[in-house]
């Protein structure tokens, strides 16, 4: 029998150990694959959540002016005096005599709204301009009932029952 030199024997033993380690590593990976994949998915999900949060915060900051503008289109009980002042300003600018009566909150289809009754007097052009301004306010106003009719000596009267849906 021929003797195998010690260096070759050492080389073979080391190779067998290496093959065993590689095979053991593959066996461990196969056994732990589910856990490793679940952990990788968790890490990817956490990273996506972090990216989504950063994106949301960036967009939220960029839209501050727009959100403020949109919020200004809704009347609250705190901003109701400014809304009434805006109506009075429209009356002054158009030259009509303006009377606001009967402002009361109500509920329509589960939403809080504000019912208003407005009466105006002036010549036809003044009353017409006031109606135009009223229609173009940046609020959702429904005119429930309207009356426009002449009074004496070129004077006109307009009465409105309005529902302000932009009320919260």
């Amino acid at each position: 029998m021929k003797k195998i030199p010690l260096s070759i024997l050492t080389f073979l033993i080391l190779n067998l150990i290496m093959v065993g380690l590689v095979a053991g590593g593959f066996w461990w990976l196969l056994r732990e694959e589910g856990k490793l994949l679940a952990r990788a998915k968790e890490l990817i999900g956490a990273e996506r959540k972090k990216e989504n949060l950063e994106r949301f915060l960036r967009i939220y900051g960029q839209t501050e002016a727009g959100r403020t503008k949109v919020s200004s289109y809704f009347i609250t009980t705190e901003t109701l005096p400014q809304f009434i002042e805006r109506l009075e300003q429209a009356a002054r600018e158009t030259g009509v005599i303006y009377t606001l009566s009967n402002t009361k909150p109500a509920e329509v289809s589960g939403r809080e709204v504000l019912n208003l009754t407005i009466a105006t007097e002036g010549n036809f052009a003044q009353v017409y301009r006031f109606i135009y301004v009223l229609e173009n306010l940046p609020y959702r106003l429904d005119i429930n009932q309207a009356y426009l009719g002449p009074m004496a000596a070129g004077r006109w009267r307009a009465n409105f029952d309005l529902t302000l849906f932009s009320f919260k």
Side-chain angles (χ1 to χ4, degrees), residues 108-135:
V108 173
S109 300
R111 292 188 59 206
E112 191 172 1
V113 298
L114 184 67
N115 292 321
L116 308 161
T117 300
I118 297 175
T120 60
E121 284 183 34
N123 64 37
F124 182 80
Q126 291 170 327
V127 171
Y128 184 79
R129 273 194 310 254
F130 182 79
I131 294 170
Y132 177 79
V133 170
L134 188 64
E135 288 177 335

Side-chain angles (χ1 to χ4, degrees), residues 65-76 79 139 166 168:
R67 287 182 291 110
T68 302
K69 185 176 181 180
V70 167
S71 292
S72 72
Y73 294 139
F74 291 90
I75 308 289
T76 63
T79 60
Y139 308 107
S166 300
K168 60 177 182 172

Side-chain angles (χ1 to χ4, degrees), residues 12 31 39 43-44 46 59 68 93 98 104 106 115 127 135 147-148 165:
L12 287 174
R31 192 177 55 134
R39 182 65 182 142
L43 292 174
I44 290 170
I59 291 170
T68 302
E93 289 173 356
Y98 157 88
K104 60 181 178 185
N115 292 321
V127 171
E135 288 177 335
Y147 167 80
L148 176 63
F165 283 91

Side-chain angles (χ1 to χ4, degrees), residues 28-41:
W28 181 80
L29 280 175
L30 289 174
R31 192 177 55 134
E32 298 293 320
E33 175 186 26
K35 292 178 189 175
L36 292 173
L37 287 176
R39 182 65 182 142
K41 286 179 183 179

